């Protein structure tokens, strides 16, 4: 991935940039993501929120429930309502989960890991080269050392 990845909503009113590489990209197969996105899985780039910047248009934040009970804040185009990224509130607002499909070049942000595969659709064939978890995972098992360092830098600032 280059230094900056650009994205936009369906109507083109909102443009944004992801100004760093994601910490990790999840391909999530949980039923919640299936229902929310209307698809077999969700592809989310987990990144520090400070690296996601709106460059044009207006984004509205909508709080919705989540399976964890902590809720999530989904950032949508104010016009077409397409979800661009979310904050899972159990983790706080310091991290965003960018909807990879809204990137201009989503193919440059492939998944690093498959999660919640216990509920994946039976016709989805997983890439055996990637780690596969029936539920979630321990970050120390799935993340690179560089990503762990970035994550802890944010968490340490909270203390």
């Amino acid at each position: 991935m280059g230094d900056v990845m650009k994205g936009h909503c369906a109507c083109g009113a909102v443009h944004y940039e992801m100004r760093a590489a994601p910490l990790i990209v999840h391909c999530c197969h949980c039923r919640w993501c299936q229902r929310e996105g209307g698809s077999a899985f969700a592809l989310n780039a987990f990144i520090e929120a400070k690296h996601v910047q709106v460059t044009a248009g207006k984004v509205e934040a909508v709080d919705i429930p989540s399976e964890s009970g902590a809720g999530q804040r989904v950032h949508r185009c104010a016009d077409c309502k397409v979800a661009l990224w979310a904050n899972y509130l159990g983790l706080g607002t310091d991290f965003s989960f960018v909807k990879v499909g809204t990137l201009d070049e989503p193919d440059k942000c492939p998944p690093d890991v498959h999660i919640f595969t216990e509920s994946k659709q039976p016709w989805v064939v997983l890439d055996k080269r990637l780690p596969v978890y029936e539920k979630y995972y321990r970050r120390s098992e799935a993340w690179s050392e560089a990503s762990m360092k970035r994550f802890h830098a944010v968490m340490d600032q909270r203390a």
Side-chain angles (χ1 to χ4, degrees), residues 62-98:
V62 179
D63 289 344
I64 64 172
S66 67
E67 190 169 23
S68 72
Q72 63 177 307
R73 183 162 294 140
V74 179
H75 300 266
R76 300 177 177 276
C77 169
D79 295 333
C80 70
K81 308 300 185 207
V82 164
L84 301 166
W85 65 86
N87 307 108
Y88 290 91
L89 299 176
L91 193 54
T93 57
D94 293 324
F95 297 96
S96 294
F97 292 79
V98 173

Side-chain angles (χ1 to χ4, degrees), residues 19 47-53 93-96 153-154 157:
R19 296 180 174 170
I47 189 169
E48 302 95 320
K50 69 182 180 183
H51 294 310
V52 180
Q53 300 292 319
T93 57
D94 293 324
F95 297 96
S96 294
V154 173
Q157 288 179 349

Side-chain angles (χ1 to χ4, degrees), residues 40 78 82 92 112 116 122 145 147:
V82 164
D112 295 307
F116 295 102
E145 188 176 324
S147 290

